[in-house]
Amino acid sequence: DQQVKQNSPSLSVQEGRISILNCDYTNSMFDYFLWYKKYPAEGPTFLISISSIKDKNEDGRFTVFLNKSAKHLSLHIVPSQPGDSAVYFCAAKKLRGGSNYKLTFGKGTLLTVNP
Amino acid sequence: DAGITQSPRHKVTETGTPVTLRCHQTENHRYMYWYRQDPGHGLRLIHYSYGVKDTDKGEVSDGYSVSRSKTEDFLLTLESATSSQTSVYFCAITNRDGQSSSYEQYFGPGTRLTVT
């Protein structure tokens, strides 16, 4: 049972335009969410996170939006750059329940930004 | 840079042989994790550790064991490697035990394992 879903395996956008990556979750116990970026042959790197007490968090070109009622979050990249081309993973964590800070990851979305 | 190294970075082994992957961290973080990444599956947790000699299973632990005899080292052992364990393995830490109030995990560079 996949608790964190990234339904788009890939996304292609033009340089300078907005990239929107989507993530859905099913477990209502999740209340902290993270996005990671992964280049080939490297480990994932943390990008941005959001707590469920917020509906938006912004860091430079990256903004994450959280819609708790829909159990949906999205990552917006504006403007997109060719260096943003990577696989993006959505992850979620249960803040309560002694989960030892484990993260549950989605399957990832490959973003390609074309010059 | 979270000071995480993994060794070896690449390994080819034969079915049935035991394999040990090493994760080393330099910052005395309490929590360490082993993941595997496979196409179509994302990152899946194999085992994790919450202290020296304290470990627990993740979602895909069958065929794997771990040990943590020192804070800085977390070893992943494939008891008898199978072709289905061909994957890229990542180690991660979280600095939740520090002053940080965040929950991010920081990943090592990965080990590409091929079982023939």
Side-chain angles (χ1 to χ4, degrees), chain B residues 9-76:
Chain B
R9 294 294 314 280
H10 301 272
K11 185 168 182 67
V12 179
T13 192
E14 293 184 350
T15 298
T17 59
V19 177
T20 295
L21 309 183
R22 180 184 183 231
C23 176
H24 179 78
Q25 54 130 337
T26 59
E27 299 183 3
N28 292 319
H29 295 299
R30 180 180 172 191
Y31 296 93
M32 299 184 74
Y33 309 83
W34 275 108
Y35 293 88
R36 58 179 290 175
Q37 186 201 2
D38 304 288
H41 290 278
L43 290 157
R44 293 181 292 175
L45 182 66
I46 306 172
H47 281 280
Y48 64 97
S49 169
Y50 45 98
V52 173
K53 293 186 168 53
D54 292 323
T55 65
D56 206 348
K57 296 179 180 179
E59 61 181 302
V60 289
S61 59
D62 287 348
Y64 301 94
S65 62
V66 289
S67 65
R68 192 163 178 206
S69 58
K70 299 184 291 185
T71 299
E72 58 265 37
D73 288 326
F74 192 30
L75 304 181
L76 177 70

Side-chain angles (χ1 to χ4, degrees), chain B residues 4-9 21-24 34 89-92 107-111:
Chain B
I4 305 170
T5 57
Q6 293 185 232
S7 58
R9 294 294 314 280
L21 309 183
R22 180 184 183 231
C23 176
H24 179 78
W34 275 108
Y89 292 85
F90 290 101
C91 175
F107 286 80
T111 294

Side-chain angles (χ1 to χ4, degrees), chain B residues 65-109:
Chain B
S65 62
V66 289
S67 65
R68 192 163 178 206
S69 58
K70 299 184 291 185
T71 299
E72 58 265 37
D73 288 326
F74 192 30
L75 304 181
L76 177 70
T77 297
L78 288 65
E79 319 258 335
S80 176
T82 67
S83 59
S84 65
Q85 293 176 311
T86 292
S87 186
V88 181
Y89 292 85
F90 290 101
C91 175
I93 61 95
T94 184
N95 61 354
R96 188 72 184 112
D97 48 335
Q99 296 300 314
S100 171
S101 60
S102 61
Y103 298 90
E104 301 97 76
Q105 290 183 10
Y106 297 90
F107 286 80

